Amino acid sequence: MPKRAYHNYWVYIITNKPKGVLYIGVTGGIDDRMERHVEAKGSSFFK
């Protein structure tokens, strides 16, 4: 990720409807993080 003079962070909430669970996360790169959630990389929560 490129260095910036300022920082942007995102708080996001996603759900796994079949299991009825909410996931709350914080990230500095929302596009990359959502892609990893969709591909179930880095966490077994959404597999």
Side-chain angles (χ1 to χ4, degrees):
M1 185 182 314
K3 289 188 176 186
R4 300 179 190 147
Y6 58 91
H7 300 281
N8 286 327
Y9 294 98
W10 297 85
V11 175
Y12 61 96
I13 303 170
I14 50 183
T15 184
N16 184 328
K17 283 187 178 183
K19 294 182 181 179
V21 178
L22 289 176
Y23 180 90
I24 301 171
V26 178
T27 185
I30 194 74
D31 294 336
D32 179 56
R33 190 64 185 122
M34 289 298 108
E35 183 178 315
R36 285 187 280 155
H37 273 296
V38 169
E39 295 176 357
K41 291 182 179 176
S43 174
S44 62
F45 186 81
F46 279 93
K47 284 186 179 180

